[in-house]
Amino acid sequence: RAHGVELQAAAPAQIRPELKELGRYLVAHADMVPAVGRLNRIAAECGDSRRLTYEMDARDVEDQAFQALLDRFAEAKVVSVKGRNLSFRDDLERRWCNGLWLEDYVAPIVQRLKGEPGLEIQDVTRSADVRFVGQGAQQGRLDRTDTELDCAFLAGNLLYVIECKTRRIRADGDFDPSDALYKLATLKREIGGSQARAMLASYYPLRDVDRRRAAILGIEVCAGRELPDLEGRIRNWVAGARARNT
């Protein structure tokens, strides 16, 4: 708890080591964005309908990049394919395909940085609900569980929040990060602005106009082909904020 903010984290899901290796593979291969986006969509549809099996259509079957991705996921036993039926191993691994994989990639990086001298990172949480308590709640600042934070931690007197984004496609096929950016901006404002820092970690590359919007909102961005350097980005982000805050 800090600055009237309480983070309530659920127990982290137990992810098989094979999935962690698969997540690192996806980050290293930004050219797989369209295929991963297709799998995200299918996993989301299965979640909405509470099922683990999806019948692929002709576009799914004819998409060679998507089929190559399924081959790799099948090798890791995340999915199985029989004819046109694509089945997820279980609901946890369906959720992992639906975007949990990026959160699962980000959180261990922050944990590694926790031990670095000078950064003073502590209280690393993932999939945490944020609540405003004490004076913050009395002032009417979102006196409820407001949102789930993909990854959050404290360093010095600052709260750092990282939103992980692996999907949300507009009708024209472009990635639209607007929801994530404004969610982070709102959270920064409600916490108190100067006491919080926010980053968007996106598997999709961002357009220049979206990066300018993020800069105006005071949000750090690590997206697309920048993700393999996420550890360095977070290190510099925290060190820079601490230097400006001293």
Side-chain angles (χ1 to χ4, degrees):
R1 179 184 296 186
H3 303 300
V5 176
E6 183 178 84
L7 300 181
Q8 299 182 339
Q14 297 301 310
I15 301 297
R16 293 185 294 125
E18 295 91 337
L19 272 69
K20 295 182 181 296
E21 180 61 33
L22 193 54
R24 289 190 288 268
Y25 173 83
L26 295 179
V27 167
H29 292 80
D31 56 314
M32 302 189 73
V33 162
V36 172
R38 186 181 290 269
L39 183 60
N40 279 347
R41 175 184 58 78
I42 291 172
E45 288 184 14
C46 285
D48 291 341
S49 57
R50 297 184 179 181
R51 55 194 170 94
L52 294 176
T53 299
Y54 172 87
E55 184 177 355
M56 294 183 287
D57 60 25
R59 289 174 298 178
D60 298 325
V61 173
E62 295 168 3
D63 186 328
Q64 295 183 2
F66 179 61
Q67 291 300 316
L69 179 70
L70 290 185
D71 288 343
R72 185 168 287 272
F73 273 57
E75 288 176 7
K77 295 182 170 54
V78 180
V79 302
S80 60
V81 179
K82 294 183 179 179
R84 291 199 173 199
N85 287 334
L86 165 62
S87 298
F88 296 95
R89 178 188 178 103
D90 54 34
D91 192 62
L92 172 59
E93 299 202 2
R94 178 201 62 77
R95 288 168 47 218
W96 191 87
C97 293
N98 191 33
L100 186 62
W101 69 266
L102 185 54
E103 179 183 325
D104 193 50
Y105 173 79
V106 171
I109 289 176
V110 180
Q111 286 287 1
R112 287 199 300 272
L113 290 172
K114 184 178 178 181
E116 289 198 7
L119 297 182
E120 296 185 13
I121 291 175
Q122 58 183 317
D123 297 335
V124 180
T125 62
R126 54 182 294 185
S127 301
D129 291 329
V130 60
R131 293 178 184 271
F132 291 93
V133 296
Q135 184 178 0
Q138 295 169 9
Q139 292 172 349
R141 294 191 306 167
L142 299 178
D143 185 16
R144 65 187 188 281
T145 297
D146 173 53
T147 189
E148 182 179 271
L149 305 180
D150 292 334
C151 183
F153 59 93
L154 297 174
N157 293 320
L158 301 178
L159 172 66
Y160 293 78
V161 176
I162 302 177
E163 175 82 355
C164 302
K165 209 68 175 173
T166 62
R167 66 187 184 96
R168 184 171 174 80
I169 303 295
R170 294 197 303 242
D172 60 8
D174 287 334
F175 172 56
D176 183 1
S178 299
D179 284 357
L181 290 175
Y182 286 117
K183 170 185 172 181
L184 286 169
T186 299
L187 183 61
K188 274 169 49 67
R189 182 179 67 250
E190 295 294 345
I191 289 175
S194 63
Q195 300 168 350
R197 298 291 183 271
M199 172 185 283
L200 175 64
S202 168
Y203 189 52
Y204 288 86
L206 266 65
R207 301 171 303 173
D208 289 344
V209 63
D210 295 318
R211 288 182 178 274
R212 288 195 294 271
R213 181 181 295 118
I216 292 171
L217 295 171
I219 296 170
E220 192 80 11
V221 170
C222 186
R225 297 183 184 278
E226 299 166 347
L227 274 181
D229 189 39
L230 180 62
E231 183 168 335
R233 293 292 187 106
I234 295 176
R235 180 185 294 109
N236 294 337
W237 179 43
V238 174
R242 285 180 55 76
R244 289 189 294 273
N245 201 47
T246 55

